[in-house]
Amino acid sequence: CFNGCAGAGTAHVRHAQQPSILSRYTGYANQQQMRRFQNEASFHEVADEALETIQDAVEELFEEQFDAGDTDDSEMPEVNVASGVLTLSMPPHGTWVLNKQTPNRQIWWSSPISGPRRYEYDADEEVWLYTRYVDAREAARDEGTDLNEDDEYGDSRTLGGALAAEIKTLYGLDVDLDL
């Protein structure tokens, strides 16, 4: 559903930059490639849809699981999206922040459990992929080897998988976030 679907944006195109001095010495020219949408509006459309999807799914999950009358307000999870930033407060565990990084065309993740991460959109898979996974996958492809993504990246491979795994760990709840 990539061509013409609402929220899917336009094609994702890679543009190679001149190798940096570091890449000349390390041989990692592929890591210097920029992963971009064709235009900024396409990035905003797809990123906003992802943040809103997360907000809707998490709000619905917690509304179903927590009865406001039985839960102290200070313990009630809360999710909010404003100005391209999703804030997910899950007391007493901490606060997760996901925000759009327009210059990089990425969504940045900050978690009190797993720390900082960067995710970029893969138009072929229609998911936000962890940038370290993308780099490892490309390096394996360049070397002609296979990447055991389940062992190395597991649930963190996608943005939705990472958040779903952390909610499952904390609350024992399943949330379907296919992004």
Coordinates of all heavy atoms in Angstrom, one line a residue, residues 48-129:
D48 N 4.3 12.2 11.3 CA 3.1 12.6 12.1 C 2.1 11.4 12.2 O 1.5 11.2 13.3 CB 2.4 13.8 11.4 CG 3.2 15.1 11.6 OD1 4.0 15.1 12.5 OD2 2.9 16.0 10.9
E49 N 1.9 10.7 11.1 CA 1.0 9.5 11.1 C 1.5 8.5 12.1 O 0.7 7.9 12.9 CB 0.8 8.9 9.8 CG -0.1 7.7 9.8 CD -0.3 7.1 8.4 OE1 -0.3 7.8 7.4 OE2 -0.4 5.9 8.3
A50 N 2.8 8.3 12.1 CA 3.4 7.3 13.1 C 3.2 7.7 14.5 O 2.8 6.9 15.4 CB 4.9 7.1 12.8
L51 N 3.5 9.0 14.8 CA 3.3 9.5 16.2 C 1.8 9.4 16.6 O 1.5 9.0 17.8 CB 3.9 10.9 16.3 CG 5.4 11.0 16.1 CD1 5.8 12.5 16.2 CD2 6.2 10.2 17.1
E52 N 0.9 9.8 15.7 CA -0.5 9.7 16.0 C -1.0 8.3 16.2 O -1.8 8.0 17.1 CB -1.3 10.5 15.0 CG -1.1 12.0 15.0 CD -1.6 12.7 13.8 OE1 -2.3 12.1 12.9 OE2 -1.3 13.9 13.7
T53 N -0.4 7.4 15.4 CA -0.8 6.0 15.6 C -0.4 5.4 16.9 O -1.1 4.7 17.6 CB -0.2 5.1 14.4 OG1 -0.7 5.6 13.2 CG2 -0.4 3.6 14.6
I54 N 0.8 5.8 17.3 CA 1.3 5.4 18.6 C 0.4 6.0 19.7 O 0.0 5.3 20.7 CB 2.8 5.8 18.8 CG1 3.7 5.0 17.9 CG2 3.2 5.6 20.3 CD1 5.1 5.5 17.8
Q55 N 0.1 7.3 19.6 CA -0.7 7.9 20.6 C -2.1 7.2 20.7 O -2.5 6.9 21.8 CB -0.9 9.4 20.3 CG -1.8 10.1 21.3 CD -2.1 11.6 20.9 OE1 -2.0 11.9 19.8 NE2 -2.4 12.4 21.9
D56 N -2.7 7.0 19.6 CA -4.0 6.4 19.7 C -4.0 5.0 20.2 O -4.8 4.6 21.1 CB -4.6 6.3 18.2 CG -5.0 7.7 17.7 OD1 -5.0 8.7 18.5 OD2 -5.2 7.8 16.4
A57 N -3.0 4.2 19.8 CA -2.9 2.8 20.3 C -2.6 2.7 21.8 O -3.2 1.9 22.5 CB -1.9 2.0 19.5
V58 N -1.7 3.5 22.3 CA -1.3 3.5 23.7 C -2.4 4.1 24.5 O -2.7 3.5 25.6 CB 0.0 4.2 23.9 CG1 0.3 4.4 25.3 CG2 1.1 3.5 23.2
E59 N -3.1 5.1 24.1 CA -4.2 5.7 24.9 C -5.3 4.6 25.0 O -5.9 4.4 26.1 CB -4.8 6.9 24.2 CG -4.0 8.2 24.5 CD -4.7 9.4 23.8 OE1 -5.5 9.3 22.9 OE2 -4.3 10.5 24.2
E60 N -5.7 4.0 23.9 CA -6.7 2.9 23.9 C -6.3 1.8 24.9 O -7.1 1.3 25.7 CB -7.0 2.4 22.5 CG -8.1 1.4 22.4 CD -8.3 0.9 21.0 OE1 -8.2 1.7 20.1 OE2 -8.6 -0.3 20.9
L61 N -5.1 1.3 24.8 CA -4.6 0.2 25.6 C -4.7 0.6 27.1 O -5.3 -0.2 27.9 CB -3.1 -0.1 25.3 CG -2.5 -1.1 26.2 CD1 -3.0 -2.5 25.8 CD2 -1.0 -1.1 26.0
F62 N -4.2 1.8 27.5 CA -4.3 2.1 28.9 C -5.7 2.5 29.4 O -6.0 2.2 30.5 CB -3.3 3.3 29.2 CG -1.8 2.8 29.1 CD1 -0.9 3.6 28.5 CD2 -1.4 1.6 29.7 CE1 0.5 3.2 28.5 CE2 -0.1 1.2 29.6 CZ 0.8 2.0 29.0
E63 N -6.5 3.0 28.5 CA -7.9 3.3 28.9 C -8.6 2.0 29.2 O -9.4 1.9 30.2 CB -8.6 4.1 27.9 CG -8.2 5.6 27.8 CD -8.8 6.3 26.7 OE1 -9.6 5.7 25.9 OE2 -8.5 7.5 26.5
E64 N -8.3 0.9 28.4 CA -9.0 -0.4 28.7 C -8.4 -1.0 29.9 O -9.2 -1.8 30.6 CB -8.7 -1.3 27.5 CG -9.4 -0.9 26.2 CD -9.0 -1.7 25.0 OE1 -8.2 -2.6 25.1 OE2 -9.6 -1.5 23.9
Q65 N -7.2 -0.8 30.3 CA -6.5 -1.5 31.4 C -6.6 -0.8 32.7 O -6.5 -1.5 33.7 CB -5.1 -1.8 31.0 CG -4.9 -2.7 29.8 CD -5.6 -4.1 30.0 OE1 -5.5 -4.7 31.1 NE2 -6.3 -4.6 29.0
F66 N -6.7 0.5 32.7 CA -6.7 1.3 33.9 C -8.0 1.9 34.2 O -8.4 2.8 33.3 CB -5.6 2.3 33.9 CG -4.2 1.7 33.9 CD1 -3.5 1.4 32.8 CD2 -3.5 1.5 35.1 CE1 -2.2 0.9 32.8 CE2 -2.3 1.0 35.2 CZ -1.6 0.7 34.0
D67 N -8.7 1.6 35.2 CA -9.9 2.3 35.6 C -9.5 3.5 36.4 O -8.9 3.5 37.4 CB -10.8 1.4 36.4 CG -12.1 2.0 36.8 OD1 -12.4 3.1 36.3 OD2 -12.9 1.3 37.5
A68 N -9.9 4.7 35.9 CA -9.6 6.0 36.5 C -10.0 6.0 38.0 O -9.3 6.6 38.8 CB -10.2 7.1 35.8
G69 N -11.1 5.4 38.4 CA -11.5 5.4 39.7 C -10.6 4.5 40.6 O -10.5 4.7 41.8
D70 N -10.0 3.5 40.1 CA -9.1 2.6 40.8 C -7.7 3.0 40.9 O -6.9 2.4 41.6 CB -9.2 1.1 40.2 CG -10.6 0.5 40.4 OD1 -11.4 1.0 41.3 OD2 -10.9 -0.4 39.6
T71 N -7.3 3.9 40.0 CA -5.9 4.3 39.9 C -5.7 5.7 40.3 O -6.4 6.6 39.9 CB -5.4 4.1 38.4 OG1 -5.7 2.8 38.0 CG2 -3.9 4.4 38.2
D72 N -4.6 5.9 41.1 CA -4.2 7.2 41.5 C -3.7 8.0 40.3 O -3.0 7.4 39.4 CB -3.1 7.1 42.5 CG -2.6 8.5 43.0 OD1 -3.1 9.5 42.6 OD2 -1.6 8.4 43.8
D73 N -4.1 9.3 40.1 CA -3.8 10.0 38.9 C -2.2 10.0 38.7 O -1.8 10.1 37.5 CB -4.3 11.4 39.0 CG -5.8 11.5 38.7 OD1 -6.3 10.6 38.1 OD2 -6.4 12.6 39.0
S74 N -1.5 10.0 39.8 CA 0.0 10.1 39.6 C 0.5 8.7 39.1 O 1.7 8.7 38.6 CB 0.6 10.4 41.0 OG 0.4 9.3 41.9
E75 N -0.3 7.7 39.1 CA 0.2 6.4 38.6 C -0.4 6.1 37.2 O 0.0 5.1 36.6 CB -0.2 5.3 39.5 CG 0.4 5.3 40.9 CD -0.1 4.3 41.8 OE1 -0.8 3.4 41.4 OE2 0.2 4.4 43.0
M76 N -1.3 6.9 36.7 CA -1.9 6.7 35.4 C -1.0 7.0 34.3 O -0.5 8.2 34.2 CB -3.2 7.5 35.4 CG -4.0 7.3 34.1 SD -4.8 5.7 34.2 CE -6.0 5.8 33.0
P77 N -0.7 6.1 33.4 CA 0.1 6.5 32.2 C -0.6 7.5 31.4 O -1.8 7.6 31.3 CB 0.1 5.1 31.4 CG -0.1 4.1 32.4 CD -1.1 4.7 33.4
E78 N 0.2 8.4 30.7 CA -0.3 9.5 29.9 C 0.5 9.6 28.7 O 1.7 9.5 28.7 CB -0.3 10.8 30.8 CG -0.9 12.0 30.1 CD -0.8 13.2 31.0 OE1 -1.0 13.0 32.2 OE2 -0.6 14.3 30.5
V79 N -0.2 9.9 27.6 CA 0.5 10.1 26.3 C 0.0 11.4 25.6 O -1.2 11.7 25.7 CB 0.3 8.8 25.3 CG1 -1.2 8.6 25.0 CG2 1.1 9.0 24.1
N80 N 0.9 12.1 25.0 CA 0.6 13.4 24.4 C 1.5 13.6 23.2 O 2.7 13.3 23.2 CB 0.8 14.5 25.4 CG 0.4 15.8 24.9 OD1 -0.6 16.0 24.3 ND2 1.2 16.8 25.1
V81 N 0.9 14.1 22.1 CA 1.7 14.5 21.0 C 1.4 16.0 20.7 O 0.3 16.5 20.7 CB 1.2 13.8 19.7 CG1 2.0 14.3 18.5 CG2 1.5 12.3 19.8
A82 N 2.5 16.8 20.6 CA 2.4 18.2 20.4 C 3.7 18.6 19.6 O 4.8 18.3 20.0 CB 2.3 19.0 21.7
S83 N 3.5 19.4 18.6 CA 4.6 19.9 17.8 C 5.7 18.9 17.4 O 6.9 19.1 17.5 CB 5.3 21.1 18.6 OG 4.4 22.1 18.9
G84 N 5.2 17.7 17.0 CA 6.2 16.7 16.5 C 6.9 15.9 17.6 O 7.8 15.2 17.3
V85 N 6.4 16.1 18.8 CA 7.0 15.4 19.9 C 5.9 14.5 20.6 O 4.9 15.1 21.1 CB 7.7 16.3 20.9 CG1 8.3 15.6 22.1 CG2 8.7 17.2 20.3
L86 N 6.2 13.2 20.8 CA 5.3 12.4 21.6 C 6.0 12.1 22.9 O 7.1 11.7 23.0 CB 5.1 11.0 20.8 CG 4.2 10.0 21.5 CD1 3.3 9.3 20.5 CD2 4.9 9.0 22.4
T87 N 5.2 12.4 24.0 CA 5.7 12.2 25.3 C 4.8 11.1 26.0 O 3.6 11.3 26.0 CB 5.6 13.5 26.1 OG1 6.4 14.5 25.4 CG2 6.2 13.3 27.5
L88 N 5.4 10.1 26.4 CA 4.7 9.0 27.1 C 5.2 8.8 28.5 O 6.3 8.4 28.7 CB 4.9 7.7 26.2 CG 4.3 6.4 26.7 CD1 2.8 6.5 26.9 CD2 4.7 5.3 25.8
S89 N 4.4 9.2 29.4 CA 4.7 9.1 30.8 C 4.1 7.8 31.4 O 2.9 7.6 31.3 CB 4.2 10.3 31.6 OG 4.4 10.2 33.0
M90 N 5.0 6.9 31.9 CA 4.5 5.7 32.5 C 5.0 5.5 33.9 O 6.0 4.8 34.1 CB 4.9 4.5 31.5 CG 4.2 4.5 30.2 SD 4.4 3.0 29.2 CE 6.0 3.1 28.6
P91 N 4.3 6.2 34.8 CA 4.8 6.1 36.2 C 4.7 4.7 36.7 O 3.7 4.0 36.4 CB 3.8 7.0 37.0 CG 3.1 7.8 35.9 CD 3.2 7.1 34.7
P92 N 5.5 4.3 37.6 CA 6.7 4.9 38.1 C 8.0 4.7 37.3 O 9.1 5.0 37.7 CB 6.9 4.3 39.5 CG 6.5 2.9 39.2 CD 5.3 3.0 38.2
H93 N 7.8 4.2 36.0 CA 8.9 3.8 35.2 C 9.7 4.9 34.5 O 10.8 4.7 34.1 CB 8.4 2.7 34.2 CG 7.6 1.7 34.8 ND1 8.2 0.7 35.6 CD2 6.3 1.4 34.8 CE1 7.2 -0.1 36.0 NE2 6.1 0.3 35.5
G94 N 9.0 6.0 34.3 CA 9.7 7.1 33.6 C 8.9 7.7 32.5 O 7.7 7.4 32.3
T95 N 9.6 8.4 31.7 CA 9.0 9.1 30.5 C 9.8 8.8 29.2 O 11.0 8.9 29.2 CB 9.0 10.6 30.7 OG1 8.3 10.9 31.9 CG2 8.4 11.4 29.5
W96 N 9.0 8.4 28.2 CA 9.6 8.1 26.9 C 9.3 9.3 26.0 O 8.2 9.9 26.1 CB 8.9 6.9 26.3 CG 9.3 5.6 26.8 CD1 10.0 4.6 26.0 CD2 9.1 5.0 28.1 NE1 10.2 3.5 26.8 CE2 9.7 3.7 28.1 CE3 8.5 5.5 29.2 CZ2 9.7 2.9 29.2 CZ3 8.5 4.7 30.4 CH2 9.1 3.4 30.3
V97 N 10.3 9.7 25.2 CA 10.1 10.8 24.3 C 10.5 10.4 22.9 O 11.5 9.8 22.7 CB 11.0 12.0 24.7 CG1 10.8 13.2 23.7 CG2 10.6 12.5 26.1
L98 N 9.5 10.6 21.9 CA 9.8 10.3 20.5 C 9.6 11.6 19.8 O 8.5 12.2 20.0 CB 8.8 9.3 20.0 CG 9.0 7.8 20.4 CD1 8.4 7.6 21.8 CD2 8.4 6.9 19.4
N99 N 10.6 12.1 19.0 CA 10.4 13.3 18.3 C 11.0 13.3 16.9 O 11.9 12.5 16.6 CB 11.0 14.5 19.1 CG 12.5 14.3 19.3 OD1 13.0 13.3 19.9 ND2 13.3 15.3 18.9
K100 N 10.3 14.0 16.1 CA 10.7 14.1 14.7 C 12.0 14.9 14.6 O 12.2 16.0 15.3 CB 9.7 14.9 13.9 CG 8.4 14.1 13.8 CD 7.4 14.7 12.8 CE 7.2 16.2 12.9 NZ 6.1 16.8 12.1
Q101 N 12.9 14.5 13.8 CA 14.2 15.2 13.5 C 14.2 15.5 12.0 O 14.6 14.7 11.2 CB 15.4 14.3 13.9 CG 15.6 14.2 15.4 CD 15.9 15.6 16.0 OE1 16.8 16.3 15.5 NE2 15.3 15.9 17.1
T102 N 13.6 16.6 11.7 CA 13.4 16.9 10.3 C 14.7 17.0 9.5 O 14.7 16.4 8.4 CB 12.6 18.3 10.2 OG1 11.4 18.1 10.9 CG2 12.3 18.6 8.7
P103 N 15.8 17.6 9.9 CA 17.0 17.6 9.1 C 17.5 16.2 8.7 O 18.0 16.0 7.6 CB 18.0 18.3 9.9 CG 17.2 19.1 10.9 CD 16.0 18.3 11.2
N104 N 17.3 15.2 9.6 CA 17.8 13.9 9.3 C 16.7 13.0 8.7 O 17.0 11.8 8.4 CB 18.2 13.2 10.6 CG 19.2 14.0 11.4 OD1 18.9 15.1 11.8 ND2 20.3 13.4 11.7
R105 N 15.4 13.5 8.8 CA 14.3 12.7 8.3 C 14.2 11.4 9.2 O 14.0 10.3 8.7 CB 14.3 12.3 6.9 CG 14.5 13.5 5.9 CD 13.4 14.4 6.0 NE 13.3 15.3 4.8 CZ 13.8 16.5 4.7 NH1 14.4 17.1 5.8 NH2 13.7 17.2 3.6
Q106 N 14.3 11.5 10.5 CA 14.3 10.4 11.4 C 13.3 10.7 12.6 O 12.9 11.9 12.8 CB 15.7 10.2 12.0 CG 16.7 9.8 11.0 CD 18.1 9.7 11.7 OE1 18.4 10.3 12.7 NE2 19.0 8.9 11.0
I107 N 13.0 9.7 13.3 CA 12.3 9.8 14.6 C 13.3 9.4 15.6 O 13.9 8.3 15.5 CB 11.0 9.0 14.7 CG1 9.9 9.5 13.7 CG2 10.5 9.0 16.1 CD1 8.6 8.7 13.7
W108 N 13.5 10.3 16.6 CA 14.5 9.9 17.7 C 13.7 9.5 18.9 O 12.6 10.0 19.2 CB 15.3 11.2 18.0 CG 16.4 11.5 17.0 CD1 16.5 10.9 15.7 CD2 17.4 12.4 17.1 NE1 17.5 11.4 15.1 CE2 18.1 12.4 15.8 CE3 17.8 13.3 18.0 CZ2 19.2 13.2 15.6 CZ3 18.9 14.1 17.8 CH2 19.6 14.1 16.6
W109 N 14.2 8.5 19.6 CA 13.6 7.8 20.7 C 14.5 8.0 21.9 O 15.7 7.8 21.8 CB 13.5 6.3 20.2 CG 13.5 5.3 21.3 CD1 14.5 4.8 22.0 CD2 12.4 4.4 21.6 NE1 14.1 3.8 22.8 CE2 12.8 3.5 22.6 CE3 11.1 4.4 21.2 CZ2 12.0 2.6 23.1 CZ3 10.2 3.4 21.7 CH2 10.7 2.5 22.7
S110 N 13.8 8.3 23.0 CA 14.5 8.3 24.3 C 13.7 7.5 25.3 O 12.5 7.8 25.5 CB 14.7 9.7 24.8 OG 15.3 9.7 26.1
S111 N 14.3 6.5 25.9 CA 13.6 5.6 26.8 C 14.4 5.4 28.1 O 15.7 5.2 28.0 CB 13.5 4.2 26.1 OG 13.2 3.2 27.1
P112 N 13.8 5.4 29.2 CA 14.5 5.2 30.5 C 15.0 3.7 30.6 O 15.8 3.4 31.4 CB 13.5 5.5 31.5 CG 12.1 5.5 30.9 CD 12.4 5.7 29.4
I113 N 14.5 2.9 29.7 CA 14.9 1.4 29.7 C 16.0 1.2 28.7 O 17.1 0.7 29.1 CB 13.7 0.5 29.4 CG1 12.7 0.6 30.5 CG2 14.2 -0.9 29.2 CD1 11.4 -0.2 30.3
S114 N 15.8 1.6 27.5 CA 16.8 1.2 26.4 C 17.7 2.4 26.0 O 18.6 2.2 25.2 CB 16.1 0.6 25.2 OG 15.1 1.6 24.8
G115 N 17.4 3.6 26.5 CA 18.2 4.7 26.1 C 17.8 5.4 24.8 O 16.7 5.1 24.2
P116 N 18.8 6.1 24.2 CA 18.4 6.8 22.9 C 18.6 5.9 21.7 O 19.5 5.1 21.7 CB 19.5 7.9 22.9 CG 20.6 7.4 23.6 CD 20.1 6.5 24.7
R117 N 17.8 6.2 20.7 CA 17.8 5.5 19.4 C 17.3 6.4 18.3 O 16.6 7.3 18.6 CB 16.9 4.2 19.4 CG 17.4 3.1 20.4 CD 16.5 1.9 20.2 NE 16.8 0.9 21.2 CZ 16.0 0.0 21.6 NH1 14.8 -0.1 21.1 NH2 16.4 -0.9 22.4
R118 N 17.7 6.1 17.1 CA 17.2 6.8 16.0 C 16.6 5.8 15.0 O 17.1 4.7 14.8 CB 18.3 7.5 15.3 CG 19.0 8.6 16.1 CD 20.1 9.2 15.5 NE 20.8 10.1 16.4 CZ 21.7 11.0 16.1 NH1 22.1 11.0 14.8 NH2 22.2 11.8 17.0
Y119 N 15.4 6.2 14.5 CA 14.7 5.3 13.5 C 14.4 6.1 12.2 O 14.2 7.3 12.3 CB 13.3 4.9 14.1 CG 13.5 3.9 15.2 CD1 13.7 4.3 16.5 CD2 13.4 2.6 15.0 CE1 13.9 3.4 17.6 CE2 13.5 1.6 16.0 CZ 13.8 2.0 17.3 OH 13.9 1.1 18.3
E120 N 14.6 5.4 11.1 CA 14.3 6.0 9.8 C 13.3 5.1 9.1 O 13.2 3.9 9.3 CB 15.6 6.1 9.0 CG 16.3 4.8 8.8 CD 17.7 5.0 8.2 OE1 18.5 5.5 8.9 OE2 17.9 4.6 7.0
Y121 N 12.6 5.8 8.2 CA 11.5 5.1 7.5 C 12.0 4.3 6.3 O 12.8 4.8 5.5 CB 10.5 6.2 7.0 CG 9.2 5.5 6.4 CD1 8.3 4.9 7.3 CD2 8.9 5.6 5.1 CE1 7.2 4.4 6.8 CE2 7.8 5.0 4.6 CZ 6.9 4.4 5.5 OH 5.7 3.8 5.0
D122 N 11.6 3.1 6.2 CA 11.9 2.2 5.1 C 10.6 2.1 4.3 O 9.6 1.4 4.7 CB 12.3 0.8 5.6 CG 12.7 -0.1 4.4 OD1 11.9 -0.3 3.5 OD2 13.8 -0.6 4.4
A123 N 10.6 2.7 3.1 CA 9.4 2.7 2.3 C 9.0 1.4 1.7 O 7.8 1.1 1.5 CB 9.6 3.7 1.1
D124 N 10.0 0.5 1.5 CA 9.7 -0.8 1.0 C 9.0 -1.7 2.1 O 8.0 -2.4 1.7 CB 11.0 -1.6 0.6 CG 11.7 -0.9 -0.6 OD1 11.0 -0.3 -1.4 OD2 12.9 -1.0 -0.7
E125 N 9.4 -1.6 3.3 CA 8.7 -2.3 4.4 C 7.6 -1.5 5.1 O 6.8 -2.1 5.9 CB 9.8 -2.7 5.5 CG 10.8 -3.7 4.9 CD 11.7 -4.2 6.0 OE1 11.2 -4.5 7.1 OE2 12.9 -4.3 5.8
E126 N 7.5 -0.2 4.8 CA 6.6 0.7 5.4 C 6.6 0.6 6.9 O 5.6 0.6 7.6 CB 5.2 0.4 4.9 CG 5.0 0.7 3.4 CD 3.6 0.5 2.9 OE1 2.7 0.0 3.7 OE2 3.4 0.8 1.7
V127 N 7.9 0.7 7.4 CA 8.1 0.7 8.9 C 9.2 1.7 9.2 O 10.1 2.0 8.3 CB 8.4 -0.7 9.5 CG1 7.2 -1.6 9.4 CG2 9.7 -1.3 8.8
W128 N 9.3 2.1 10.4 CA 10.4 2.9 10.9 C 11.5 1.9 11.5 O 11.2 1.2 12.5 CB 9.9 3.9 12.0 CG 9.1 4.9 11.4 CD1 7.8 4.9 11.2 CD2 9.6 6.2 10.9 NE1 7.4 6.1 10.6 CE2 8.5 6.9 10.4 CE3 10.9 6.8 10.8 CZ2 8.6 8.2 9.9 CZ3 11.0 8.1 10.3 CH2 9.8 8.7 9.8
L129 N 12.6 1.8 10.9 CA 13.7 0.9 11.3 C 14.8 1.6 12.1 O 15.2 2.7 11.8 CB 14.3 0.3 10.0 CG 13.4 -0.6 9.2 CD1 14.2 -1.1 7.9 CD2 13.0 -1.8 10.0

